[in-house]
Amino acid sequence: MSNVIPGLAPEVPLSLPVPVERTLPNGLRVLLTRRPGVPLAEVRLSIPAAHADLAAADLLSAALFSGTETASMTEIAQRLQGVGGALGAGADPDRIAVSGNSLATGLPELLEVLGDLLKAAEYPEGPLAVERSRIIDGLSVAEQQPDFQVNRVLDARLWDGHPYGHQQPTAAEVAAVERDAVLALHASRVHPAGARLIIVGDIDTDAAFAAVEKALGDWNGAGEPRHMEPLPELVAGPLVLVDRPGSVQSAIRVAYPAVERTHPDNAAQHLANLVFGGYFSSRLVMNLRETKGYGYSPRSRVDHSPAGSIQLAAVDVATEVTGPALAEVRAELRGMAERPPAADELDLARRYALGSVKLATATQAGVANYISVLAASGLPLAWLAEHSERIREVTPADVQRVAAERLDPDRAVTVVLGDGAEVREPLAAFGEIEAA
Amino acid sequence: MTVATIPAPAFAIERFKLANGLRVVLAPDPGAPVVGVAVVYDVGMRSEPEGRTGFAHLFEHMMFQGSHNVGKAEHMRHVQSAGGTFNGSTHIDYTDYFNLLPSNGLELALFLEADRMRGPAITEENLANQVSVVKEEIRVNVLNRPYGGFPWIKLPPVMFDTFANSHDGYGSFVDLDAATVDDAKSFFNAYYPASNAVLSVAGDFDLAQARELVERHFGSVEARPAPVHPSFNEPDLSAERRVSYTDERATLPAVAVAWRVPDPVTELDDFLPYVVLGELLTDGDASRLVERLIHTDQTATAVAAHTTFMAEPFASRGPTVMLIQAFLPPGNAVDTVLGTVQEELARIAEGVDEAELDRVKARVAAQLLRGDDSVMGRSRRFATAEIFHGDASMSARFPALLGEVTAEAVAQAAAALTPNRRAVLEVIPGGAQ
């Protein structure tokens, strides 16, 4: 037995597939990627929907599959199921997205169904009412979930006045959406111009494109392109306390500024986030979980959205350690500039970042998701290779500089959801408190 | 399309056993430059001792606290330093540890798993730390949210009588606080010998080299006898059992109903029709219960059916269940939904259309294939197939076996789900409405 921890074999270079890109005459951008493996195909369709009414967009997404002029909801579902397929849809402030998968041999049929829905969804009154009620029922449950509750307050605090400030409609807003509003939204927004279709799987790209042309070539109509304003600057302020009586944990959320993917500081920001709280070996996890035992899943992440970027640290902790846990989060955040990572700490994060790209692009669904996420920011999949090269060049001084510029708890937005009667006093030690 | 026409990917699988009893599965496939390394121990929540609920899961946490040559948190640091990810998970009948790394990290992962197979380094301090972490995990997933533990923790005590089958596998805080370093040593000695484990490697690697590395790192792990796995069987229900409870944070009524099913291992042929039945009942808008309860009657807002408490039909032993759970619009009655479920089961018992069955099987096969696209998923499924079915290559045969399930067998399965054999758990919403 050897007790010397083995090193790594020579690094296998990152190898990314190159999507074939075509554009239909109606404006639909199509990105096709052959990735053999299992005999399946992954499909992602993104339709721009800036400034669409969010409640209407949610209802449209839920009822998109409820029937067309020629097919009932059940017939649509049977056609998909017959090719091992499924489709789902969702909406956010930027877009309406339809995604799904099927056996690769069933891709033409899945695209035909998708085409029928995009061109002729009827949103019949009965099924629409069912979906409206289901969204409202689902919201009533979500509104009891700490994460949902705290995110709603955080979004409003960060982006009040911008569409990102209100990302989850209320039950009353959903209840007020009539069929006419859904039909009008479909008529004005569900169009190929500006939309993007991504297909990844065990496919022949020429044959798959021919199937797209056949199914979606006559999808048409004029859209009303609307621009999404960039996110406003983050404005720090008093700690926001969301009272959740009886809560046995406090959900601590600290948001601070970030630069977008194309900014020169992005690679250093990526590594700074990892070192701070972006992976298990980070300072936040080692301190709050492995040393103090305050929380199961302390974490931080960088969110890149089409309108802008933000960083967010999050941890759910037992009510009685709310104050100490927030103090540690703030100390670790400040510590990134005061105690910048040495070369070995940075190299650990660097190697993790480089490997993560390989892991995340190792499945058909992973490739499809990455193409989709990057395309939303106007970037190609190959950007990952360029980013990896920039990751290799980041120095401790770079990390210290971006940390000093942005990882400052006094310039962050802090929201805590918890049992107000228990946590208000310990939180008062951090300064003024504002009730949500 | 029939299931017989769906091409199954041909993953070559080599299986062998080391002198210490460790079963090894190697499944090379150069599709992506990553490698998955999974170790599955044949012990789960059912085997934890009385007075130590939650111990199998707590012990899983302790396996990350260091071992002979690896310090606390260093397992994670080494794997992440190689660009990889890791995790562990505790189930009713097994516990798994898995790593996904760029393929140049294969030997490192093998070393780390072999090192802790020789025994974790458990101290009073790191045990107390992880008890605290596990309590926060339970607060997040059970205590501080609506429907926490519904139905996987709340239904077994309705269905079963023995401690093994009925207790809370996440654990009570009293039992977690009572756990000692000696408990951990006893648990390791009893359930973590190499002979009670399967090592599975999938992805981009050279077979001969991997075989040599496995021998090098695991060959010297001490040989110890595997535990005898007791039968956990207990009698089926002969009369309905029913329990209800109020969940203060729930807003919708909810119900879970379960029936005992044949043993997923020893009675596999009789068990498989229930797996197909679950899909027939609730997979997609064309399925029987979604169409009837949600869209036609509007007496449910969500419904799901599956076999085994954690929906892992191929990684479970008996006794286990077929389970249907539904969330209802406010003010709706659970009895109405239960009545409709029995009606729909009775309809299926009268016969199933072949075309409908073929559609369901196509979707089941696609979902299994999708899981196999992930190297990590593949390595874990090969390992559990070896543990439970004695042959990792069974993992690739499950879609075909499900494809052979006949309409008659599905009808018979539905006919067996009678009201007198069911256990029912009802959630009464106490939350703001």
Side-chain angles (χ1 to χ4, degrees), chain A residues 1-15 35-40 42 44 62 65-66 73-75 77-86 100-103 105-106 126-127 129-131 133-142 144-146 149 244-251 279-282 286 288-297 316-321 347-349 351-359 361-366 417, chain B residues 1 6-9 11 31-35 57 61 64-65 68-70 72-74 76-87 100-108 111-112 115 118 129-130 132-137 139-141 143-147 170 204 216-217 220 248-252 279-280 283-287 290-291 294-295 298 300-303 327-330 356 358-360 362-367 369-375 378 431-432:
Chain A
M1 159 189 158
S2 149
N3 60 9
V4 178
I5 293 174
L8 302 178
E11 188 179 334
V12 180
L14 174 65
S15 156
R35 197 180 183 291
V38 293
L40 301 177
E42 294 287 334
R44 306 283 184 273
F65 311 96
S66 294
M73 180 189 69
T74 304
E75 287 162 344
Q78 287 176 346
R79 284 177 70 187
L80 291 171
Q81 199 178 33
V83 294
N101 56 77
S102 71
L103 295 165
T105 50
V130 170
E131 297 304 339
S133 295
R134 292 179 77 192
I135 295 174
I136 292 167
D137 290 344
L139 271 172
S140 79
V141 175
Q144 297 293 319
Q145 302 273 15
Q149 294 173 319
R244 186 173 186 262
S247 194
V248 298
Q249 281 183 318
S250 297
Y279 71 148
F280 198 94
S281 301
S282 66
M286 286 304 124
L288 270 76
R289 176 180 153 130
E290 293 297 303
T291 304
K292 307 279 191 331
Y294 286 163
Y296 175 59
S297 175
D316 293 5
V317 302
T319 300
E320 58 269 26
V321 297
D347 281 342
L348 175 55
R351 288 194 297 269
Y352 178 74
L354 294 171
S356 299
V357 175
K358 292 174 189 166
L359 305 191
T361 53
T363 60
Q364 293 168 345
L417 171 140
Chain B
M1 176 177 310
I6 299 168
F11 296 113
V34 299
V35 64
H57 172 238
H61 276 242
F64 290 94
Q65 292 296 307
H68 290 69
N69 297 294
V70 180
K72 176 178 161 85
E74 282 188 11
M76 302 74 141
R77 198 163 62 75
H78 286 301
V79 172
Q80 295 194 319
S81 171
T85 60
F86 65 86
N87 214 335
L100 179 68
L101 310 93
S103 47
N104 61 325
L106 172 61
E107 184 176 6
L108 175 67
F111 174 89
L112 294 171
D115 205 60
R118 294 186 175 89
N129 168 247
Q130 290 303 307
S132 180
V133 169
V134 166
K135 285 181 182 173
E136 292 313 308
E137 180 179 352
R139 287 189 173 110
V140 170
N141 290 332
L143 302 176
N144 206 37
R145 46 156 296 181
Y147 310 103
Y170 239 154
D204 178 25
R216 184 190 306 167
H217 293 290
S220 62
E248 291 302 332
R249 297 211 183 270
T251 56
L252 307 174
E279 304 292 319
L280 184 85
D283 181 53
D285 286 334
S287 64
V290 172
E291 195 178 13
I294 294 177
H295 294 294
Q298 296 162 36
T301 193
V303 61
F327 294 83
L328 282 53
E356 180 183 10
D358 279 347
R359 285 195 304 268
V360 170
R363 182 63 191 153
V364 175
Q367 285 172 307
L369 288 170
R370 196 160 186 252
D372 275 345
D373 192 35
S374 148
V375 168
R378 222 152 63 219

Side-chain angles (χ1 to χ4, degrees), chain B residues 150 242 253-257 324-328 334 337-338 424-427:
Chain B
F150 172 79
R242 190 156 172 166
V255 63
V257 51
I324 301 172
Q325 62 189 59
F327 294 83
L328 282 53
V334 157
V337 169
L338 289 174
V424 176
L425 178 69
E426 182 181 353
V427 184

Side-chain angles (χ1 to χ4, degrees), chain B residues 171-190:
Chain B
S172 72
F173 282 15
V174 170
D175 285 1
L176 289 169
D177 280 331
T180 66
V181 174
D182 281 346
D183 290 335
K185 283 181 182 151
S186 306
F187 197 79
F188 177 81
N189 288 337

Side-chain angles (χ1 to χ4, degrees), chain B residues 194-209:
Chain B
S195 56
N196 199 39
V198 167
L199 164 69
S200 165
V201 183
D204 178 25
F205 63 89
D206 176 79
L207 188 58
Q209 190 192 14

